[in-house]
Amino acid sequence: MTFTTPTSFTSPGLCLNTTKKIPLPGKIEEVRATGWLDLMKASSPTRKRQTKDVICDTQSDDLDLQYRNWMVNYPSALTSFEAISDLAGSKRLALFLDYDGTLSPIVDNPENALMSDEMRAAVRHVASLFPTAIISGRSRDKVFDFVKLNELYYAGSHGMDIMGPVRKTTDSNGVECIRSTDAHGKEVNLFQPASEFLPMITEVYEKLGESVKDIDGARMEDNKFCVSVHYRNVAEDDYKKVFHRVSAVLEDYPCLRLTHGRKVFEVRPVIDWNKGKAVEFLLESLGLNESEDVLPIYVGDDRTDEDAFKVLKASNRGFGILVSSIPKESDAFYSLRDPAEVMEFLRMLAAWKEQST
Ligand SMILES: [Mg+2]
């Protein structure tokens, strides 16, 4: 297989020792160029604004029409299930699942993003039938605390902290893993391509916390190899302030980049590593990357999941499923409206597999 190691992995020290201010990383410019304020306002619009008056009913009808038109290009994975199961045929399926907004609802306080017992049962069931991994922007420990299933593989910090199976191939491709054991004594591999950035991330977490502490509703989250600044509960008038404060802190950290998710800014090391790379890494670790008879499916709702959708699309095997209740451009092939539909899809997959064996 061709496995791409992260470009900064071999020489992050060059970055870490930088003291001079150099131009901000491209991603910040990207956020700016596309109109950061618009992005902040537009990310994750809720349906709460649709009240019961007539005007809003009309808006709601328009939204539904737009959504149905959008689904022509991103068909529902539920109504297309027969096509999916035909494609899966006798292939070995590998399942990759994002957590927030995919297995759990997006909530005002990210600490409360709990998955339901029904969802946990559905995930446990599919994991007993197919190799299944959770790939989240949260820290690996935190996402495990939410999911609480030992049957799965976990990749936290956008794939920068992977606990996977001991590699089945002997070709290491220069990827250095640490052999470890999980909570149940099972032998696992730990892969942390950004470990040298940890002191910097810890420092920037503190500085960012200090810089936004007077902004009502701004909430910090330490995701180990990345830092989140949530502004879901910040007044819209203060969005500009949040962005300026965050960018001001990052001016001193050219090796960190800023990306934007659902009402959240995320700060992470500039390394060539993302959820797409994590999918490739896990497929390889599972001994599934070379095989033509493997069908990887990735289910996710956010911008960072697009890297995984792209990987599957580019390799022309497997596909992404975007979880969204609004029309969005995506590299996914199918769609699901919300976590409830994700659960239904997982149940259908499990039922199909059990019937066919
Ligand atoms: Mg998500």
Side-chain angles (χ1 to χ4, degrees), residues 129-180:
L129 301 167
F130 317 108
T132 302
I134 307 279
I135 303 188
S136 170
R138 305 247 199 180
S139 74
R140 181 166 51 77
D141 290 345
K142 198 175 290 176
V143 84
F144 179 82
D145 285 346
F146 280 127
V147 177
K148 296 187 179 79
L149 292 173
N150 290 308
E151 298 91 328
L152 310 179
Y153 302 110
Y154 291 89
S157 310
H158 297 289
M160 286 185 281
D161 187 8
I162 301 178
M163 184 182 273
V166 171
R167 301 160 70 83
K168 291 183 179 171
T169 62
T170 51
D171 179 11
S172 70
N173 273 311
V175 176
E176 290 178 31
C177 292
I178 304 164
R179 192 68 63 92
S180 183

Side-chain angles (χ1 to χ4, degrees), residues 177-351:
C177 292
I178 304 164
R179 192 68 63 92
S180 183
T181 49
D182 69 7
H184 291 259
K186 189 175 73 181
E187 212 174 12
V188 291
N189 261 339
L190 268 184
F191 179 56
Q192 300 178 327
S195 55
E196 293 187 56
F197 286 85
L198 267 182
M200 183 188 279
I201 294 286
T202 305
E203 186 181 296
V204 90
Y205 174 79
E206 281 163 20
K207 286 193 181 173
L208 284 170
E210 191 62 30
S211 79
V212 301
K213 72 176 184 190
D214 64 324
I215 303 177
D216 264 359
R219 185 186 291 270
M220 300 291 303
E221 187 175 6
D222 178 0
N223 292 317
K224 191 162 181 176
F225 293 100
C226 40
V227 172
S228 298
V229 184
H230 297 273
Y231 63 90
R232 179 164 295 273
N233 298 321
V234 171
E236 211 166 282
D237 287 348
D238 285 338
Y239 282 5
K240 198 183 270 186
K241 204 188 280 180
V242 176
F243 177 76
H244 283 307
R245 298 274 182 86
V246 170
S247 356
V249 170
L250 289 188
E251 280 180 16
D252 292 329
Y253 296 91
C255 296
L256 301 179
R257 66 170 166 153
L258 181 65
T259 56
H260 185 249
R262 294 177 74 175
K263 299 287 186 200
V264 61
F265 281 122
E266 289 175 312
V267 177
R268 48 181 154 150
V270 181
I271 61 167
D272 182 19
W273 196 261
N274 54 44
K275 287 183 169 185
K277 295 284 174 70
V279 167
E280 287 180 323
F281 178 85
L282 279 164
L283 281 171
E284 200 271 343
S285 300
L286 291 160
L288 300 175
N289 214 22
E290 285 295 334
S291 183
E292 286 292 314
D293 70 344
V294 174
L295 184 74
I297 297 178
Y298 187 105
V299 190
D301 71 314
D302 210 346
R303 194 167 289 227
T304 56
D305 299 309
E306 292 292 333
D307 293 316
F309 298 155
K310 276 195 194 97
V311 159
L312 297 184
K313 193 177 181 178
S315 60
N316 199 27
R317 52 171 204 158
F319 51 83
I321 301 177
L322 175 68
V323 183
S324 182
S325 59
I326 54 162
K328 268 187 200 173
E329 272 303 303
S330 174
D331 279 301
F333 196 86
Y334 292 105
S335 68
L336 290 166
R337 196 180 272 267
D338 51 30
E341 286 201 357
V342 174
M343 186 165 72
E344 180 63 20
F345 177 71
L346 298 180
R347 286 174 173 167
M348 287 167 84
L349 269 183

